[in-house]
DNA sequence: GTCTATAATTTGATAGAC
DNA sequence: GTCTATCAAATTATAGAC
């Protein structure tokens, strides 16, 4: 019987609380730095109940990591699969990606960090969940533009690296950039907002012939 | 009396062994993930002796972190302080930085990761050791080039971010890029080698008017 | 489902012999 | 300076009552 009169929270709500708490703690401190006690505290429950919902730390972590990765990778895949023109892809990617990461600024560092810990394992897990991105279309598209004479010769691989680097890296290196140039939180946020237009403009200029 | 006949290694050698082992383990697993036992094993000694040389884990870590940071930050500062032309700076920075990171590919992720754990603490420690980089000269130099009409208008901050991003990020995201495009270790290494020229060319094209 | 209490394990650190 | 043995604290995980 469903206990709809119960005062305390029930399963799905508690589970959601735990996942939200775990996300916060894992992303802030990583797999090793995170403490089950901290996650329980953050979720407003105790450790025993935490283990009731998730058998062990590793299992909980994997779910958080996969969710985090799922917020980042499909948007990269978008570059590869969409039917837009090259310039449109670059523009919409910067716009969308920076918007997402502004709201989750620690996601990229978290994901890349854990990926590097055990690349083989995580990539296997990731690619079996979301079908692996296939960059062939994107690479061919660049070659075609070069052939048509619309852009100067650029290496597709390096263009891809440049695009992703300029979009993602500043969030991972925020403390460094803030210190270098003396930006407060608000100024940094504004700079990232500018980059939605700045990066595409930069790339387009670099590709002009 | 110096025991130069002793078969076993003596102090300075052991200390060096420990530091090398600690560097390896800390960079691979971070402050929290690293185990003193692993460091001892890697150095070929036991935990007790490890604590004889370094009072505690934190002190050992700090030394490793500072050494790692010292390999990366002064080379960035080079951009700011040198008297070369803007183009020369960009070219020599890419050349030198990629060379260093090719030999220590996990350093950037390690340093940025630990920096994000406690930005205030680490930045204070860092800046009191090596005098803080001062980007004013570099920023002014860009403004001057714009004014002289040598390059199109570019935001100095964004140019700096673009340069550092394109140079450093691919090493941090190596598993991702390798998977995306299907590169083995050797092919990735070659791609990074190409970037020594590719990045400056890309930037210079983007700045042409 | 949720709690208290506690077991089991890991791990940083120390004591003391050689 | 290096080791064996051990402690003390932290942390994951479980037992069992409600």
């Amino acid at each position: 019987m469903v206990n709809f009169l119960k005062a305390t929270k029930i399963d799905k709500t508690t589970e959601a609380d735990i996942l939200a708490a775990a996300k916060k703690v894992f992303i802030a401190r990583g797999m090793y730095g995170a403490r089950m006690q901290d996650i329980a505290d953050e979720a407003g429950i105790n450790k025993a109940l935490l283990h009731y919902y998730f058998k062990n730390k590793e299992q909980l972590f994997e779910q958080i990591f996969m969710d985090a990765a799922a917020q980042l990778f499909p948007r990269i895949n978008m570059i590869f699969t969409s039917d837009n023109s090259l310039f449109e892809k670059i523009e919409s990617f910067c716009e969308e990606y920076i918007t997402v990461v502004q709201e989750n600024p620690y996601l990229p560092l978290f994901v890349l960090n854990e990926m590097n810990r055990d690349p083989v394992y995580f990539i296997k897990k990731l690619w079996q969940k979301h079908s692996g991105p296939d960059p062939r279309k994107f690479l061919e598209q660049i070659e075609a533009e070069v052939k048509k004479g619309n852009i100067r010769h650029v290496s597709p691989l390096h263009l891809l690296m440049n695009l992703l680097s300029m979009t993602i890296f500043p969030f991972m290196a925020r403390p460094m950039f803030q210190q270098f140039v003396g930006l407060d939180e608000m100024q940094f946020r504004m700079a990232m907002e500018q980059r939605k237009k700045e990066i595409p403009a930069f790339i387009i200029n670099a590709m002009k012939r």
Side-chain angles (χ1 to χ4, degrees), chain A residues 113-192:
Chain A
N113 203 45
E114 304 297 336
M115 251 179 109
N116 267 275
R117 246 185 40 215
D118 190 348
V120 179
Y121 171 78
F122 280 121
I123 284 173
K124 198 185 68 183
K125 279 276 180 188
L126 266 173
W127 260 242
Q128 78 185 27
K129 196 134 193 170
H130 323 92
S131 58
D134 179 5
R136 272 177 300 182
K137 193 171 171 182
F138 180 71
L139 304 184
E140 287 166 7
Q141 192 170 22
I142 296 172
E143 305 268 1
E145 293 291 324
V146 172
K147 211 162 250 170
K148 276 191 282 181
N150 294 337
I151 59 176
R152 76 178 184 91
H153 177 73
V154 282
S155 155
L157 170 62
H158 290 293
L159 181 58
L160 177 64
M161 283 185 174
N162 293 346
L163 173 60
L164 295 183
S165 297
M166 289 190 284
T167 307
I168 303 173
F169 182 77
F171 290 98
M172 302 173 71
R174 191 182 60 186
M176 188 181 76
F177 284 122
Q178 288 193 226
Q179 184 67 19
F180 275 174
V181 199
L183 304 175
D184 62 27
E185 299 301 319
M186 196 49 180
Q187 289 170 321
F188 181 84
R189 199 185 165 79
M190 280 174 53
M192 291 306 103

Side-chain angles (χ1 to χ4, degrees), chain A residues 194-208:
Chain A
Q194 291 168 3
R195 288 181 76 74
K196 289 179 179 177
K197 304 294 181 194
E198 188 77 24
I199 296 170
F202 192 82
I203 292 179
I204 286 168
N205 264 289
M207 296 196 312
K208 265 197 196 128

Side-chain angles (χ1 to χ4, degrees), chain A residues 22-86:
Chain A
K23 181 178 176 180
K24 187 171 174 182
V25 175
F26 275 129
I27 287 177
R29 332 197 98 188
M31 166 64 177
Y32 293 125
R35 296 289 159 245
M36 293 296 266
Q37 184 64 62
D38 297 336
I39 295 173
D41 291 348
E42 182 74 31
I45 59 171
N46 59 35
K47 276 189 297 181
L49 192 56
L50 183 54
H51 278 92
Y52 174 79
Y53 279 90
F54 294 90
K55 196 168 81 265
N56 54 43
K57 187 179 176 180
E58 196 179 355
Q59 185 191 305
L60 179 55
F61 174 80
E62 190 171 309
Q63 182 151 349
I64 299 299
F65 177 80
M66 289 300 161
D67 288 356
Q71 283 186 65
L72 296 182
F73 285 96
R75 287 172 209 275
I76 291 177
N77 205 12
M78 195 187 72
I79 311 175
F80 299 151
T81 57
S82 113
D83 280 322
N84 290 335
S85 77
L86 186 56

Side-chain angles (χ1 to χ4, degrees), chain A residues 90-132:
Chain A
I90 291 171
E91 282 173 348
S92 63
F93 172 74
C94 290
E95 175 74 33
E96 285 197 34
Y97 215 79
I98 290 176
T99 300
V100 170
V101 182
Q102 286 267 40
E103 301 312 309
N104 305 274
Y106 298 106
L107 270 193
L109 188 55
F110 170 70
V111 170
L112 285 188
N113 203 45
E114 304 297 336
M115 251 179 109
N116 267 275
R117 246 185 40 215
D118 190 348
V120 179
Y121 171 78
F122 280 121
I123 284 173
K124 198 185 68 183
K125 279 276 180 188
L126 266 173
W127 260 242
Q128 78 185 27
K129 196 134 193 170
H130 323 92
S131 58

